[in-house]
Amino acid sequence: MAWPDGRWIPLQFDGEPALSSAVFLADDGNVLTGQRAWQAGIAEPQRFIPSPRRSAEQMLTVAGADVDTLDLVAATLRRVAGEAQQAVGVAVEDVRVVVPAGWGPRRRTWMRHAAHRAGLPQPRLVEAPVAAAGHLVSTGAQLPVGAFLVVCDVGAAAEVSVLRRGPTGFEVLATLADPDAGGSAIDQALANMLAGAATGSAGEQGQRWALAASVQAAKHALTHHAAATVPLPTGPAAVLNGGLLEQAAQPVLTRVAELTVEALAAAEVDRADIAGLYCVGGVAQMPALEKTLAQTTGITPVVAADPNLAAVHGAADAGSTQAGDAAPEDQSATVPPVRRAVAIAVPGFASLALVAQFLLTPEWRGGFLGVIPATAVLNWGELAMAAVFALIACLAAGTVIASAIAARNTADHSPPGVQTGTGILAAASMGTAVAGMYAVVGSLYIATAVGPFLRWALMPIAPIVVVAAVLALVAARQWRTPRGGWSQLLSFPTSSVLTAAAGMLCIQYSLTADRWPDMILFIDITGRLGGLLLGAGTIMAVVRQPLLRLILGAPLAVITAALVSPRASGILGVIYAIAVAVWWLRQLWARILRPHPRLAS
């Protein structure tokens, strides 16, 4: 339980500042939690579930009956909520749940459903390494912007993450997890070692749960005592000391060190660039872990203050005197740097320039003495590109819009992802409205039917609007945060905008300029140059690698230059609109749906 001024208190469960996730399903359907679950599990082991959260299945078979795992996890969360309300006297409205960084959308949604079933309000999911890094900063760790760090979270399981501190929070570059490389594996190894030495067998299932509980208690006692007695199911009690504990834990600690090396390789970060290797979780208190990590990685690890609760402190801003010391999972609602303004201004001004030239340079044909009205021949491709650039500018401003929404809704405690998703939707709606406004103004100015204007202004941007809606859904549900944040993902390449806009301006000039005899060659060359620029801008939107841009851009530029003509102007605009839609689809696929392996495990 934490308060905005930094005060906090730990909740107590059966006299301990932690609650086991183990549950026991009673005959009457009630779910027992904590110590009561362990005690009941000894008598009826078939009804005891030590780790319901680990199950990848929606249903479990317990004592011959199918049970929804959501109900089991919800029982534990419901008890936490009850203890919290009893401690402060009121229901808690701000709930934050620490989750592994490697969890995907399905597991995160599953946890939200469990919290909802427990009667909790919509929780904010905070990635464990991000929360722990926030706690490190609040306790004085020197981690400047741009620094890389490694967080080894070794609790019941192990998760090693490589992070980078950006201007708006911590970014997970790579994370690797092993459920069999944590405290639970050490407990099992100790139980096998002690029971084997005494009896050669761990006995029946109920006796194994009793032994596991005794081993856990003895292991915790070694924090303050040199040795501890472990009652065995059969035979005399055994004595557990630091040497036996280290012997049982060494394979697990070696695996944690291997995960650390693999995570650094996955993040493509040199060890020399690591600002710190920090250990959190219950196993972090073992000196053998520091020794093993130092020998394997060559980096001297640092154990975080209060490692058992480091991630919890960071998620709740507990002990922090400044709001925001602990970075939440999604900081994309923060206003982006000033340089991001270029990504907004360039397509915005390019859109205005194109639509102005489109309206001011129509070619009038026909008409007779005011009796038969003249017909305007328009460059529909220029209108399409103006609409596309308007939408790009609005989407680039999406994170700024999200910041404004967050500033106006500070009282509702909406998660940053919801604010970002709302900002993206608002930006897409604004871009669509601007494109529609171009069509209506053009229709009124040219004094002709609005249908063609709407068709050429709205249809080219329709695929982009659909992709933006999907991105908004991803942001709102907090399924995945793109590397570099949402402001970087929503910024379209300005080089492509400048090149393509200049190309279309040149094309329109060549199609509408007065062809004086001494200007014909210059006008034709300008038109072909515009086609070349438009082709180059198209390739810049589709291809990133410079060599591929050169290889593919040259023939496409020649083709677009050859297509420059009054009849083909619309085709040229559509080609560029398709390229922009491909760029957005690639962003969605490569950075959200199927990111690089180093960004997720």
Side-chain angles (χ1 to χ4, degrees):
M1 295 293 303
W3 283 262
D5 59 2
R7 293 182 298 116
W8 66 276
I9 59 170
L11 295 179
Q12 296 290 322
F13 306 93
D14 304 317
E16 297 290 336
L19 177 62
S20 170
S21 61
V23 296
F24 178 88
L25 182 63
D27 293 336
D28 57 3
N30 290 329
V31 180
L32 306 182
T33 61
Q35 288 298 326
R36 294 180 61 192
W38 280 94
Q39 294 167 359
I42 296 174
E44 296 183 80
Q46 72 277 9
R47 295 183 173 276
F48 181 70
I49 305 96
S51 301
R53 196 187 69 173
R54 281 197 184 186
S55 175
E57 301 298 331
Q58 199 69 13
M59 304 295 294
L60 286 178
T61 301
V62 180
D66 290 336
V67 182
D68 192 344
T69 55
L70 279 177
D71 292 330
L72 303 179
V73 175
T76 300
L77 295 178
R78 192 177 298 112
R79 182 174 177 188
V80 173
E83 295 288 347
Q85 183 170 352
Q86 183 176 357
V88 298
V90 296
V92 179
E93 297 181 356
D94 184 3
V95 178
R96 306 180 188 183
V97 179
V98 177
V99 297
W103 272 21
R106 186 174 67 88
R107 296 300 298 268
R108 293 173 189 248
T109 301
W110 180 84
M111 180 56 75
R112 288 192 182 93
H113 289 167
H116 176 73
R117 191 166 296 188
L120 293 170
Q122 179 71 10
R124 180 191 302 180
L125 302 188
V126 187
E127 293 181 342
V130 174
H135 174 64
L136 294 171
V137 171
S138 67
T139 53
Q142 299 300 313
L143 297 170
V145 174
F148 298 94
L149 68 149
V150 180
V151 175
C152 288
D153 188 350
V154 192
E159 183 180 59
V160 181
S161 304
V162 182
L163 298 89
R164 175 184 178 275
R165 188 178 187 185
T168 60
F170 288 95
E171 168 192 8
V172 179
L173 302 182
T175 182
L176 296 174
D178 190 340
D180 299 321
S184 297
I186 296 176
D187 293 345
Q188 183 62 44
L190 280 172
N192 293 338
M193 181 184 298
L194 296 175
T199 64
S201 171
E204 297 179 357
Q205 190 174 12
Q207 295 176 334
R208 288 201 297 270
W209 295 136
L211 177 60
S214 300
V215 166
Q216 289 181 13
K219 189 180 67 172
H220 294 159
L222 289 181
T223 305
H224 306 289
H225 304 281
T229 302
V230 181
L232 297 179
T234 58
V239 176
L240 177 64
N241 55 32
L244 288 176
L245 175 59
E246 184 173 341
Q247 180 182 348
Q250 193 56 53
V252 173
L253 304 183
T254 300
R255 176 54 183 156
V256 173
E258 293 173 352
L259 284 176
T260 304
V261 174
E262 294 170 4
L264 286 169
E268 299 180 4
V269 177
D270 293 333
R271 301 182 190 183
D273 296 330
I274 297 298
L277 170 57
Y278 297 93
C279 300
V280 299
V283 181
Q285 300 177 88
M286 294 184 60
L289 176 61
E290 299 178 59
K291 179 181 177 181
T292 304
L293 286 173
Q295 291 176 346
T296 305
T297 65
I299 305 172
T300 302
V302 177
V303 178
D306 199 0
N308 277 323
L309 299 178
V312 177
H313 283 168
D317 297 340
S320 172
T321 58
Q322 296 181 0
D325 278 350
E329 178 186 16
D330 186 357
Q331 288 282 351
S332 56
T334 305
V335 177
V338 175
R339 60 188 175 87
R340 294 295 184 200
V342 176
I344 303 173
V346 170
F349 284 115
S351 176
L352 292 175
L354 290 176
V355 77
Q357 188 186 44
F358 169 77
L359 295 176
L360 297 176
T361 60
E363 183 179 354
W364 296 95
R365 295 181 181 177
F368 180 73
L369 299 177
V371 177
I372 301 176
T375 302
V377 179
L378 299 169
N379 184 351
W380 297 112
E382 190 168 30
L383 176 60
M385 289 183 61
V388 169
F389 287 150
L391 180 58
I392 290 174
C394 291
L395 288 173
T399 49
V400 178
I401 297 175
S403 301
I405 294 173
R408 290 178 176 271
N409 295 280
T410 54
D412 65 359
H413 303 290
S414 297
V418 174
Q419 298 161 3
T420 301
T422 305
I424 295 174
L425 278 181
S429 300
M430 183 184 300
T432 305
V434 171
M437 182 189 68
Y438 285 169
V440 174
V441 171
S443 173
L444 295 175
Y445 185 81
I446 303 298
T448 186
V450 72
F453 290 87
L454 289 173
R455 185 165 55 251
W456 284 94
L458 298 181
M459 290 185 64
I461 67 174
I464 306 173
V465 172
V466 172
V467 177
V470 175
L471 293 175
L473 178 62
V474 172
R477 299 302 297 270
Q478 301 183 47
W479 287 336
R480 182 165 289 150
T481 302
R483 186 183 183 189
W486 288 99
S487 61
Q488 180 175 332
L489 181 138
L490 298 175
S491 297
F492 188 79
T494 54
S495 58
S496 174
V497 173
L498 287 172
T499 305
M504 182 53 77
L505 289 171
C506 290
I507 291 173
Q508 179 65 356
Y509 167 77
S510 70
L511 296 178
T512 60
D514 294 331
R515 303 179 67 83
W516 298 101
D518 56 340
M519 294 289 292
I520 292 178
L521 180 60
F522 173 77
I523 293 173
D524 289 341
I525 291 177
T526 302
R528 302 306 172 187
L529 176 62
L532 289 171
L533 291 174
L534 183 56
T538 301
I539 285 297
M540 290 179 182
V542 178
V543 181
R544 288 183 178 179
Q545 294 80 359
L547 182 59
L548 282 179
R549 282 182 174 180
L550 181 62
I551 295 174
L552 300 177
L556 180 61
V558 172
I559 293 173
T560 53
L563 286 175
V564 172
S565 65
R567 292 180 176 273
S569 60
I571 296 176
L572 294 175
V574 170
I575 289 175
Y576 186 75
I578 292 173
V580 174
V582 169
W583 184 87
W584 282 98
L585 288 171
R586 187 187 63 191
Q587 291 288 94
L588 176 63
W589 178 262
R591 302 185 64 178
I592 300 294
L593 300 180
R594 290 290 185 272
H596 191 278
R598 73 178 186 176
L599 303 181
S601 67

